[in-house]
Amino acid sequence: MDIKWSVLRSVRVLLALVFIVFWIGAMPTNAANYDESKIPRYVLPELLKDQDGTVIESAEQWERIRRPVILRDFQQRVYGEAPSDPESIRYRVDRVIQRALNGQATQKEIVISFSDRPDGPQMTVLLFVPAPGNQPAPAFLGLNFGGNHTIHSSPDISVTSSWVRNDEGAGIKDNRASSAHRGRAAGRWPVEQILQRGYALVTAYYGDIDPDFDDGFKNGVHSLYHAEKKPDRHEWGSISAWAWGMSRIMDYLEQDSDIDEARVAVIGHSRLGKTSLWAGARDRRFAMVISNNSGCGGAALSRRQFGETIGRINTSFPHWFCDNFSWYISREGLMPIDQHMLVALAAPRPIYVASATEDRWADPKGEFLAAREATPVYRLYGLEGIEAEELPEPDQSIGGHIGYHIRTGAHDLKLFDWERYLDFADRHFR
Ligand code: GCU
């Protein structure tokens, strides 16, 4: 009897010890690593080998066997599953200005209501179509951080009616969008240049879809689906909601005869770069994907743990992802996926990943490696990805159907980046 009890006690002590070791192992460390020599040894999960060992040898096998598994892993473990497409969504073309921006474009504002509820969430989509001549036009679709009126100083753009989060400060301030902020983000949106190159520009304020703070999923489109109950561990966080919102914009673009729906590129910077990658992965109507400085949870390989890590991002921005993602804090090596697989989900569509030299938090090298490591999937389609072994020199654009550059400078979306994306689109869209 005594022996039995002491054995039992030892087993319990042992179990408790195992649990404590596991728990400590899963705690995020705070200091970001910026030292290449301190990157843990890692092996990337294989793109072209299925769980049962089947080696993927053709584009057909990739699409039938491997791609669905990887897509599902990102959906269930990282970004979270979005609800199926809504039935009651409504579009209203609110305003059309024929000769906007000194005659350079037709401007439209479209209000998308996500439900039948008159007080339900709505998003206003701003669309500039280049002056007549080459309709239907190819388009860039990107969400903005501060309201449509911030992308250009034109007084004709409606001021967003949503609350805009003050992203610079801590917490949420009373920061209702105001006309004083017209054009504040114009540096990131070279509207005239985009139009002159023959492309339409489509944008909407990301907070119209889901406000960017951790409110327990009570507002934005989440409110329509989670009035009673928080999303489950595998259900959508904000990135997934923003990506889902981009698909709703695409639903509208398919109806607009000024836009060529077969040539719509999704683009995003930073958290919205993570979003454009996910939007492009889950919705193959997007014909091109562009990730600008998207970093952790975007194009950067998680296993490198350089700059921002899964631990840091889940601590600062838990609402961006599904709850399952936090299980991988300090357990990067246990993920069946890494971000090169997210890039590969775009195949065979052209995808462009860009970094900036000073943006170490986003791990430029990890972004480059993820872009390069997606190449084998492009090869299955007979397409060129990235052959370069090393990070290219700053300010040089490389690659075939996978494009890459590292711009000199800070975390930002600059004219230099846009010019590379426009060239890339010219190459693949024309
Ligand atoms: C933070 C965050 C990044 C994100 C960035 C942004 O820096 O840690 O992951 O990309 O914000 O969206 O501006």
Side-chain angles (χ1 to χ4, degrees):
M1 190 71 169
D2 274 357
I3 294 178
K4 202 167 137 200
W5 280 117
S6 72
V7 169
L8 247 170
R9 194 177 318 124
S10 314
V11 169
R12 274 163 55 192
V13 169
L14 202 73
L15 279 175
L17 275 173
V18 168
F19 177 76
I20 290 168
V21 168
F22 206 55
W23 182 69
I24 291 176
M27 285 202 313
T29 45
N30 268 330
N33 174 43
Y34 291 121
D35 182 348
E36 277 292 325
S37 71
K38 296 212 174 100
I39 285 171
R41 289 166 74 88
Y42 66 87
V43 180
L44 289 180
E46 290 202 50
L47 257 179
L48 298 184
K49 199 184 261 176
D50 201 31
Q51 286 139 326
D52 66 4
T54 313
V55 177
I56 304 299
E57 285 168 338
S58 68
E60 184 277 326
Q61 282 183 322
W62 162 257
E63 300 222 356
R64 181 169 48 84
I65 304 172
R66 191 72 178 118
R67 188 180 189 277
V69 173
I70 295 176
L71 184 67
R72 196 168 165 75
D73 276 336
F74 277 107
Q75 193 175 61
Q76 305 273 311
R77 299 169 199 267
V78 183
Y79 306 107
E81 198 169 333
S84 50
D85 303 348
E87 278 157 25
S88 49
I89 198 149
R90 279 171 299 130
Y91 308 95
R92 176 165 49 85
V93 180
D94 206 37
R95 212 164 154 218
V96 179
I97 303 173
Q98 290 299 350
R99 293 184 58 75
L101 308 179
N102 296 322
Q104 266 203 19
T106 304
Q107 175 187 320
K108 300 185 194 180
E109 288 179 341
I110 298 100
V111 176
I112 300 187
S113 309
F114 294 110
S115 72
D116 289 333
R117 276 178 23 205
D119 62 340
Q122 288 188 335
M123 126 171 97
T124 303
V125 178
L126 170 69
L127 205 146
F128 286 115
V129 188
N134 58 354
Q135 274 75 358
F140 285 91
L141 161 60
L143 300 177
N144 65 70
F145 280 95
N148 296 342
H149 61 295
T150 62
I151 76 149
H152 194 281
S153 56
S154 161
D156 293 330
I157 302 174
S158 302
V159 174
T160 185
S161 53
S162 312
W163 288 68
V164 173
R165 184 180 174 187
N166 180 2
D167 201 46
E168 268 98 61
I172 305 137
K173 289 194 181 150
D174 179 353
N175 200 28
R176 192 176 280 278
S178 107
S179 58
H181 302 150
R182 283 194 186 286
R184 191 162 67 168
R188 284 190 179 163
W189 298 92
V191 179
E192 276 81 5
Q193 281 94 331
I194 296 169
L195 291 164
Q196 276 155 18
R197 300 272 299 251
Y199 292 88
L201 178 65
V202 187
T203 188
Y205 169 51
Y206 79 139
D208 272 2
I209 305 167
D210 192 28
D212 189 2
F213 55 90
D214 194 4
D215 71 324
F217 299 106
K218 292 197 195 64
N219 54 20
V221 291
H222 280 114
S223 68
L224 296 173
Y225 298 89
H226 301 286
E228 309 292 324
K229 187 175 151 290
K230 247 185 98 196
D232 281 337
R233 293 193 64 80
H234 68 283
E235 286 183 311
W236 57 346
S238 295
I239 290 177
S240 191
W242 299 325
W244 178 91
M246 293 184 103
S247 290
R248 305 293 66 83
I249 300 178
M250 187 64 190
D251 298 342
Y252 165 77
L253 295 178
E254 287 186 317
Q255 321 282 322
D256 189 319
S257 58
D258 283 338
I259 302 293
D260 181 357
E261 74 266 22
R263 290 185 294 162
V264 175
V266 262
I267 178 168
H269 168 63
S270 209
R271 71 198 68 182
L272 295 176
K274 309 181 208 296
T275 304
S276 69
L277 286 167
W278 182 232
R282 63 184 290 284
D283 189 338
R284 298 179 93 179
R285 291 175 299 172
F286 295 121
M288 181 179 290
V289 181
I290 299 166
S291 147
N292 191 80
N293 305 181
S294 61
C296 179
L301 292 176
S302 303
R303 278 170 173 74
R304 279 173 47 84
Q305 299 178 46
F306 186 99
E308 188 170 30
T309 58
I310 293 185
R312 293 292 290 264
I313 205 164
N314 272 291
T315 312
S316 315
F317 307 101
H319 61 292
W320 286 357
F321 304 94
C322 71
D323 285 351
N324 277 342
F325 195 34
S326 61
W327 194 85
Y328 294 104
I329 295 177
S330 300
R331 295 187 189 125
E332 284 81 355
L334 297 183
M335 283 203 295
I337 44 179
D338 209 316
Q339 302 305 107
H340 61 309
M341 292 169 148
L342 181 63
V343 177
L345 288 176
R349 296 162 294 161
I351 182 165
Y352 202 113
V353 172
S355 315
T357 51
E358 291 162 22
D359 190 18
R360 296 195 309 157
W361 182 238
D363 186 12
K365 185 164 179 195
E367 295 181 313
F368 164 72
L369 290 174
R372 191 193 73 188
E373 292 301 320
T375 297
V377 175
Y378 281 78
R379 277 197 207 116
L380 293 179
Y381 292 90
L383 300 170
E384 189 197 338
I386 293 180
E387 298 302 332
E389 291 288 320
E390 300 293 333
L391 257 178
E393 289 299 308
D395 308 323
Q396 283 178 21
S397 182
I398 60 162
H401 265 65
I402 307 177
Y404 179 84
H405 73 248
I406 174 164
R407 172 181 45 75
T408 303
H411 181 72
D412 203 349
L413 173 55
K414 307 291 271 187
L415 180 59
F416 176 87
D417 302 305
W418 272 104
E419 284 169 341
R420 303 294 78 72
Y421 304 147
L422 286 160
D423 292 346
F424 190 67
D426 279 356
R427 220 162 60 230
H428 296 287
F429 275 173
R430 302 242 185 237

